[in-house]
Amino acid sequence: MDKGKLLAVARGDEPADLVLRGGRVVNVFSGEIETAAIAIVDGLIAGVGDDYTGREVIDLAGAFVAPGLIDAHVHIESSLCIPAQFAQAVVPHGVTTVVTDPHEIANVAGMDGLRFMAQSSAGLPLSVVVMASSCVPATHMETSGATLTATELAQLLAEGTVYGLAEVMNFPGVVNGDPTVLAKLAAFADRPCDGHAPALTGKQLNAYVASGIGSEHECTTVAEAREKLARGLYILVREATNAHNLHALLPMIDAHNDRRICFCTDDRIPSDLIDQGTIDYMVREAIRFGIPPITALRMATLNTTEWFGLHDRGAIAPGRRADLLVCASLEELRPRLVFAGGRLVAEDGVMCDAALAPAVALPPAVSATVNVRWDAVDLRIPAIGRTVRVIGSLPNQLVTEARILPATVEAGYAVADPARDVLKMAVIERHTGSGAQGLGFIQGIGLRRGAMAGTVAHDHHNLVVIGADDASMLTAARAVVAMGGGLAVAEGDVVHASLPLPVAGLMSDRPIAEVRASYDALIAAAQALGSPLHDPFMAMSFMALEVIPTLKLTDQGLVDVSQFAIVPLFVD
Amino acid sequence: MDKGKLLAVARGDEPADLVLRGGRVVNVFSGEIETAAIAIVDGLIAGVGDDYTGREVIDLAGAFVAPGLIDAHVHIESSLCIPAQFAQAVVPHGVTTVVTDPHEIANVAGMDGLRFMAQSSAGLPLSVVVMASSCVPATHMETSGATLTATELAQLLAEGTVYGLAEVMNFPGVVNGDPTVLAKLAAFADRPCDGHAPALTGKQLNAYVASGIGSEHECTTVAEAREKLARGLYILVREATNAHNLHALLPMIDAHNDRRICFCTDDRIPSDLIDQGTIDYMVREAIRFGIPPITALRMATLNTTEWFGLHDRGAIAPGRRADLLVCASLEELRPRLVFAGGRLVAEDGVMCDAALAPAVALPPAVSATVNVRWDAVDLRIPAIGRTVRVIGSLPNQLVTEARILPATVEAGYAVADPARDVLKMAVIERHTGSGAQGLGFIQGIGLRRGAMAGTVAHDHHNLVVIGADDASMLTAARAVVAMGGGLAVAEGDVVHASLPLPVAGLMSDRPIAEVRASYDALIAAAQALGSPLHDPFMAMSFMALEVIPTLKLTDQGLVDVSQFAIVPLFVD
């Protein structure tokens, strides 16, 4: 960037690249709206004032201009799309920066995965700030594709791949001073370190904060959020597909604490991104609740830049990035125009052609991640007892129940019994081709026949399969592996629906609208097989997550999370 | 720092070093007051909550506890004391951190001067954050003791001596993109860069802000401060001995912009520091004006840490420095106890013995800075014309008038004429012993006889002398040089009063109360010789400052600031 040129345009001695004239400019510093021209050069705002000349001039005719919105914490992988396609969904909603934790791909492809996310985000109309995933793997009770040590995270920081430390989910490790956790925090001592400590309170919370972690996005109640804010954490209010905290937390916001509150989406599936929106939706809802519009916008802009120290954006001011949205109404906040780095990138909810990203070449580290040793796969469960532990999946919850039920036995094998809503579940190791597999039973998914399978299975993303019979399960599993990862629904030897996710088995590189349609078709297929769930694939994706109670299944076997130990399938 | 121990104390598993119990804790994050215990270990706050055990417990019996106050911008040299003695004055007022621009000593001793300020601040009960003086020398129309280039400033940053870039006073250089100025800003691109741009507005202001400078402490009106804040500058409201901006700016503060406003003192002489206070005085006055107490305290704590990125302090929260003040009333804000780094350092306005700093060894670079080539000193002014340019000093202003008056001639020499309040002024180069001297005349100081001299003369701090006759001037000047720098009042061959300032000719290493008494005696002596001014030494110290209009005198001669050029003494 030529600072001399920037200053010359600011002084009015040289014409700007672009002048936005006649807009009502949202000033997040003063809290006021001012009618002013915005002069832009080389992607930066040079000046804000009553007169500038430019090679291009756009008359905003009284429309509002606000800083581009910022998502303070999002796992892009949850959109099932690579960053370029994720951007297609969020930029038209006015989001110009996201802070992302590439935690999912990190568990599959480690440092190469993080580097892929950073490299494939370069040059997008969306600024992607990559944080270093801090808890890879989550535990040692499942096989992951990678392990990230403090040394490796420090290397990612030194090479400029990452900006800070992503959510430190191992909160017991933090609170108790686990040296491996403290080493990671020490490596990021001068950088923003995001937190994740659901329901932590009192002295335990003091310890968590004293460690140097500075934010929290897991609050679910006003009391929890108020305590965490008072102890010094920025509160990143979350509105995810599978965790709706916004409306519960809006009542906490007041004029004394609002500067310490930001907005984030954490995890959103394509249909939510496309239909409902993202941070723009949160701003709209906050205003509808009664938060003053500029206060709501600050939570989506300036506050977030202050938490992360991203002082090059988040406000319409000289020297900052020309990331802007133009809209007719702040209350409605439907961006008519979106500018990223001074470039018009979306108009009336549609990306501009010029903003479309080039195709991304996939390195082998992320394109060849599904390695199943088929000769070791055997879904049969010899009936060595009479009662089994069964995962009790609950609607819209990540927490499961640990149930103990009589096994249904056929020809010496314990089998699925759809009549009792007992399905078989398998988690097949898919990173190293070790042949490890865990087998168990699950209630609450509701398939009456057929099977579903996928390589999206938090946090380690092995191949998970749930079905009413072994043949359908194998068909679904083989379909997923044949796609190099993805999701599939099968019945017998027929695949009813599938969505290839060739990028680490987590993401598609196809347009997000196409991904969304395929995903809708998958859900419909699973529902046609009997599942009553709104989204059986999302439910399945958390059934291997052995850090959330109570009973989960990994490739190492059944995990009793309350004991933090592998337990046998058969009770007696 | 042992983080494991910090966490153990936070958890309650180990006793704290100190627990402050029963205080009403000012929470600058939530804007609330909470009754809570504060657990402190190794100088840090481990936890805030309702119960902690400690090796030492102090019951605060309902007193308020606030974060230690922060002065966002101060030239410690203006206290005429080294940091250890400056600390003696400000710490009992609750100030535990100052951000300092050692601009005065930098002009005398360059990098060694900055290093001395940093080194002599180590281990004090006051945290001194040293900024890199950006404009040394101020101009090339006076001889300075040093020049600081971008390369040297970058070296000071790399070695950890400085934290950011101090006030960039060369605002025309910034606005017009002077490469030497931009090089300094580039060297501090990721660090806080303080501004100084009096009355800059409109496009010029846009350019100044676009350069990357982020604060301003020169605002004198609400309109000026509002515009600068709206463009993105933090406003550091100043209440100095010689610049009173607080009451003029208080009306600008509202709930929408207060997070972008901080407090600073810039320059304060010992009597103001001791009698009136410092940042505590500003907080008191703000509250008296009607600013809510916690808002006023935020401007003296959290806001300042946010501007500078000093996230290890500024709030009472786990992991932050235990810099605290205890007082019976927020409105009164008279600290009963002051803690710095967890240590009780002042009680009821008096430093604790244990907090007294050890004597500082003075390196030659700062202890031998007065080098006058006496054989070149000749105060006589041959009368080569009939009228002379005369500096018109105005009460309580740095701006002077350029007057043209008939010369008083005796025996072929133009001489002082106290009857017309025309005194002779000399600026004698004292850094390099070059023998350079500038001679001229001045009105407005008011001595009827005798002379005053000193090595405190902004910005380059040569030896300045003002007097009614040459003999008195030489006596005063020789007395100052004999002290290795300082201030003196003389009459004939008698020195009436003097204050040695052996540290760079700017600072004493004696107790500040002693310095204050000597300074009062100097003023009294100058007043006894006829000066009607409240502080003739302060007035004199700005008469060589050739960056402030209109007519000034340096060792190179008379400077017409509006022409930015040396002009002859005689007009015709």
Side-chain angles (χ1 to χ4, degrees):
Chain A
M1 192 262 302
D2 176 356
K3 192 161 266 185
K5 187 174 172 194
L6 176 70
L7 298 180
V9 172
R11 290 194 304 270
D13 289 346
E14 290 185 22
D17 292 342
L18 170 65
V19 174
L20 303 181
R21 192 171 277 167
R24 282 184 281 175
V25 179
V26 173
N27 191 311
V28 291
F29 298 125
S30 67
E32 295 172 333
I33 307 276
E34 47 181 337
T35 297
I38 302 170
I40 295 166
V41 66
D42 292 345
L44 301 181
I45 296 164
V48 180
D50 54 9
D51 183 38
Y52 271 102
T53 57
R55 273 179 285 274
E56 186 187 352
V57 175
I58 299 177
D59 188 342
L60 299 183
F64 291 95
V65 194
L69 308 178
I70 303 174
D71 192 332
H73 175 73
V74 61
H75 304 283
I76 291 176
E77 301 97 315
S78 295
S79 74
L80 304 175
C81 290
I82 60 172
Q85 302 301 336
F86 171 80
Q88 301 289 314
V90 303
V91 170
H93 287 280
V95 173
T96 51
T97 297
V98 298
V99 180
T100 192
D101 174 11
H103 170 78
E104 316 307 345
I105 197 170
N107 269 288
V108 176
M111 295 172 81
D112 289 333
L114 268 71
R115 290 187 183 117
F116 168 77
M117 293 300 275
Q119 288 158 5
S120 66
S121 298
L124 293 184
L126 176 73
S127 291
V128 177
V129 178
V130 178
M131 302 288 275
S133 305
S134 64
C135 301
V136 177
T139 79
H140 294 285
M141 291 184 292
E142 180 167 11
T143 308
S144 67
T147 298
L148 290 178
T149 64
T151 305
E152 288 166 325
L153 296 177
Q155 185 182 330
L156 291 168
L157 181 63
E159 76 190 28
T161 298
V162 300
Y163 181 82
L165 190 63
E167 52 174 331
V168 185
M169 300 185 288
N170 183 1
F171 60 86
V174 173
V175 169
N176 294 308
D178 178 329
T180 65
V181 178
L182 294 191
K184 291 173 184 174
L185 286 164
F188 287 78
D190 295 327
R191 310 299 306 162
C193 298
D194 277 320
H196 166 121
L200 210 65
T201 184
K203 291 192 173 72
Q204 301 277 304
L205 175 60
N206 279 335
Y208 193 75
V209 177
S211 77
I213 290 166
S215 77
E216 170 63 322
H217 62 269
E218 293 289 332
C219 297
T220 60
T221 68
V222 166
E224 180 186 3
R226 279 191 183 279
E227 183 188 5
K228 286 177 171 170
L229 183 144
R231 290 299 157 262
L233 298 178
Y234 273 86
I235 303 303
L236 317 184
V237 174
R238 171 179 61 187
E239 187 71 1
T241 289
N242 57 339
H244 301 275
N245 306 127
L246 175 63
H247 293 88
L249 296 182
L250 282 173
M252 81 164 293
I253 300 168
D254 63 40
H256 302 297
N257 66 22
D258 61 38
R259 68 200 269 186
R260 308 285 299 181
I261 299 171
C262 311
F263 286 153
C264 74
T265 63
D266 208 357
D267 299 279
R268 290 212 139 205
I269 61 173
S271 57
D272 278 354
L273 290 173
I274 293 169
D275 296 344
Q276 188 181 63
T278 153
I279 299 298
D280 60 317
Y281 166 74
M282 298 184 73
V283 173
R284 284 192 299 273
E285 289 296 296
I287 295 171
R288 204 164 64 83
F289 176 79
I291 306 290
I294 297 184
T295 300
L297 282 166
R298 278 175 161 172
M299 293 190 279
T301 59
L302 181 65
N303 297 2
T304 313
T305 65
E306 289 187 349
W307 155 230
F308 287 107
L310 290 166
H311 301 302
D312 65 339
R313 64 194 70 197
I316 300 176
R320 300 208 180 208
R321 282 178 58 90
D323 292 348
L324 305 165
L325 65 87
V326 175
C327 58
S329 151
L330 293 183
E331 286 74 12
E332 276 305 311
L333 202 73
R334 306 279 179 189
R336 207 164 51 110
L337 306 175
V338 180
F339 296 87
R343 197 158 57 104
L344 180 64
V345 292
E347 197 165 353
D348 292 325
V350 180
M351 291 295 278
C352 302
D353 285 351
L356 291 172
V360 179
L362 299 181
V366 305
S367 66
T369 63
V370 181
N371 303 292
V372 169
R373 197 178 130 206
W374 283 114
D375 62 4
V377 174
D378 183 350
L379 300 184
R380 292 175 301 174
I381 302 176
I384 58 171
R386 290 175 303 155
T387 59
V388 287
R389 291 184 169 81
V390 175
I391 296 170
S393 175
L394 305 170
N396 300 316
Q397 290 201 46
L398 310 189
V399 171
T400 64
E401 291 179 353
R403 297 171 185 163
I404 295 175
L405 298 174
T408 299
V409 178
E410 286 179 2
Y413 293 99
V415 296
D417 187 352
R420 291 159 58 211
D421 185 29
V422 174
L423 299 177
K424 188 182 279 186
M425 175 171 169
V427 177
I428 300 167
E429 196 278 314
R430 65 100 164 177
H431 301 293
T432 66
S434 66
Q437 64 169 22
L439 296 174
F441 295 98
I442 185 167
Q443 287 190 312
I445 302 298
L447 296 180
R448 309 289 299 180
R449 57 190 198 283
M452 48 196 285
T455 45
V456 178
H458 302 278
D459 276 344
H460 304 109
H461 303 292
N462 282 301
L463 173 57
V464 60
V465 197
I466 293 174
D469 66 276
D470 291 2
S472 297
M473 290 174 74
L474 281 171
T475 302
R478 287 186 184 280
V480 166
V481 174
M483 296 184 291
L487 308 173
V489 174
E491 187 180 4
D493 56 4
V494 177
V495 177
H496 286 322
S498 66
L499 168 58
L501 300 173
V503 184
L506 300 170
M507 292 174 281
S508 169
D509 55 357
R510 302 293 305 162
I512 192 165
E514 196 178 311
V515 173
R516 180 250 175 98
S518 295
Y519 193 76
D520 287 351
L522 278 165
I523 291 173
Q527 288 170 338
L529 293 175
S531 176
L533 297 182
H534 174 68
D535 186 342
F537 276 93
M538 178 159 294
M540 181 171 75
S541 73
F542 289 105
M543 292 304 112
L545 183 54
E546 77 276 22
V547 294
I548 295 194
T550 305
L551 190 65
K552 296 291 171 76
L553 181 68
T554 77
D555 68 322
Q556 301 298 305
L558 274 175
V559 176
D560 181 327
V561 183
S562 54
Q563 296 180 46
F564 222 68
I566 306 281
V567 292
L569 174 59
F570 286 91
V571 179
D572 60 19
Chain B
M1 192 265 299
D2 176 356
K3 192 160 265 185
K5 186 175 171 194
L6 176 70
L7 299 179
V9 173
R11 291 194 306 270
D13 289 346
E14 290 185 22
D17 293 341
L18 171 65
V19 174
L20 303 181
R21 193 171 277 168
R24 282 184 282 176
V25 179
V26 173
N27 192 311
V28 290
F29 298 126
S30 67
E32 296 172 331
I33 307 276
E34 45 181 339
T35 297
I38 302 169
I40 296 166
V41 65
D42 292 345
L44 301 180
I45 297 165
V48 180
D50 54 7
D51 182 38
Y52 271 102
T53 57
R55 273 179 286 275
E56 187 188 351
V57 175
I58 299 178
D59 188 342
L60 299 182
F64 291 96
V65 195
L69 308 178
I70 303 175
D71 192 332
H73 175 71
V74 62
H75 304 283
I76 291 176
E77 301 97 315
S78 295
S79 74
L80 304 176
C81 290
I82 59 172
Q85 301 303 335
F86 171 81
Q88 302 289 314
V90 303
V91 169
H93 286 279
V95 173
T96 51
T97 296
V98 297
V99 181
T100 192
D101 174 10
H103 171 77
E104 316 307 345
I105 197 169
N107 268 287
V108 175
M111 295 171 80
D112 288 333
L114 268 71
R115 290 187 183 118
F116 168 76
M117 293 301 273
Q119 288 159 5
S120 65
S121 298
L124 294 184
L126 176 74
S127 292
V128 177
V129 178
V130 178
M131 303 287 275
S133 305
S134 64
C135 301
V136 177
T139 79
H140 294 284
M141 291 184 293
E142 180 168 12
T143 308
S144 66
T147 298
L148 290 179
T149 64
T151 306
E152 287 166 325
L153 297 177
Q155 185 182 331
L156 290 168
L157 181 62
E159 75 191 27
T161 297
V162 300
Y163 182 82
L165 190 63
E167 52 173 333
V168 186
M169 299 186 289
N170 183 1
F171 59 87
V174 174
V175 169
N176 294 308
D178 179 329
T180 64
V181 178
L182 294 191
K184 291 174 185 174
L185 286 164
F188 288 78
D190 296 326
R191 310 298 307 161
C193 298
D194 277 319
H196 166 122
L200 210 65
T201 182
K203 291 192 173 70
Q204 301 277 305
L205 175 61
N206 279 334
Y208 193 74
V209 178
S211 77
I213 289 166
S215 76
E216 170 64 321
H217 63 269
E218 293 288 333
C219 297
T220 60
T221 68
V222 165
E224 180 187 4
R226 279 191 183 279
E227 184 188 4
K228 286 177 170 169
L229 184 145
R231 290 299 157 264
L233 298 179
Y234 273 86
I235 303 303
L236 316 185
V237 175
R238 171 179 59 187
E239 187 71 0
T241 289
N242 57 337
H244 300 276
N245 305 127
L246 175 63
H247 293 88
L249 295 182
L250 283 173
M252 80 163 294
I253 300 168
D254 63 39
H256 302 298
N257 66 23
D258 61 37
R259 67 200 269 185
R260 307 285 298 182
I261 299 171
C262 313
F263 287 153
C264 74
T265 64
D266 208 356
D267 299 279
R268 291 212 138 205
I269 62 173
S271 58
D272 278 355
L273 290 173
I274 293 169
D275 296 344
Q276 188 180 63
T278 153
I279 299 297
D280 60 317
Y281 166 75
M282 299 185 72
V283 173
R284 283 193 299 273
E285 289 297 295
I287 296 171
R288 205 165 62 84
F289 176 80
I291 307 290
I294 297 184
T295 300
L297 283 166
R298 279 174 160 172
M299 293 191 279
T301 58
L302 181 65
N303 296 2
T304 312
T305 64
E306 290 188 349
W307 155 230
F308 287 106
L310 290 166
H311 301 302
D312 65 340
R313 66 194 70 197
I316 300 175
R320 301 209 178 207
R321 281 177 58 90
D323 292 346
L324 306 165
L325 66 86
V326 174
C327 57
S329 152
L330 292 184
E331 286 73 13
E332 276 305 311
L333 203 72
R334 307 277 179 190
R336 208 163 49 112
L337 306 175
V338 180
F339 297 87
R343 197 158 56 104
L344 180 64
V345 292
E347 198 164 353
D348 291 325
V350 180
M351 291 294 279
C352 302
D353 285 351
L356 291 172
V360 179
L362 300 180
V366 305
S367 66
T369 63
V370 181
N371 303 294
V372 169
R373 197 177 131 206
W374 283 113
D375 61 3
V377 173
D378 182 351
L379 301 184
R380 291 175 301 174
I381 302 175
I384 59 171
R386 290 176 303 156
T387 58
V388 286
R389 290 184 170 83
V390 175
I391 297 169
S393 175
L394 304 170
N396 301 316
Q397 290 202 45
L398 310 189
V399 171
T400 63
E401 291 180 354
R403 297 172 186 162
I404 296 174
L405 298 173
T408 300
V409 177
E410 285 179 1
Y413 293 99
V415 296
D417 187 352
R420 291 159 59 210
D421 185 27
V422 174
L423 300 176
K424 188 183 279 185
M425 176 172 170
V427 177
I428 300 168
E429 196 279 313
R430 64 98 165 179
H431 301 294
T432 66
S434 67
Q437 63 169 23
L439 297 173
F441 295 98
I442 185 166
Q443 288 191 311
I445 302 299
L447 295 180
R448 308 288 298 180
R449 58 189 197 283
M452 48 195 287
T455 44
V456 177
H458 302 279
D459 276 345
H460 304 109
H461 303 292
N462 283 301
L463 172 58
V464 60
V465 198
I466 294 175
D469 66 274
D470 291 2
S472 297
M473 290 174 74
L474 282 170
T475 302
R478 287 187 186 280
V480 166
V481 174
M483 295 185 291
L487 308 174
V489 174
E491 187 180 4
D493 56 5
V494 177
V495 177
H496 286 323
S498 66
L499 168 57
L501 300 173
V503 183
L506 299 170
M507 291 175 281
S508 169
D509 56 357
R510 302 293 306 161
I512 192 165
E514 193 179 312
V515 173
R516 180 249 176 98
S518 295
Y519 193 76
D520 287 352
L522 279 165
I523 291 173
Q527 289 170 338
L529 293 175
S531 176
L533 297 182
H534 174 69
D535 186 342
F537 275 94
M538 178 160 293
M540 181 171 75
S541 74
F542 288 106
M543 291 304 112
L545 183 54
E546 77 275 22
V547 293
I548 294 194
T550 304
L551 190 65
K552 296 291 170 77
L553 181 67
T554 78
D555 68 321
Q556 302 298 305
L558 275 173
V559 176
D560 181 329
V561 182
S562 54
Q563 296 181 47
F564 222 68
I566 306 282
V567 292
L569 174 59
F570 286 92
V571 180
D572 59 18

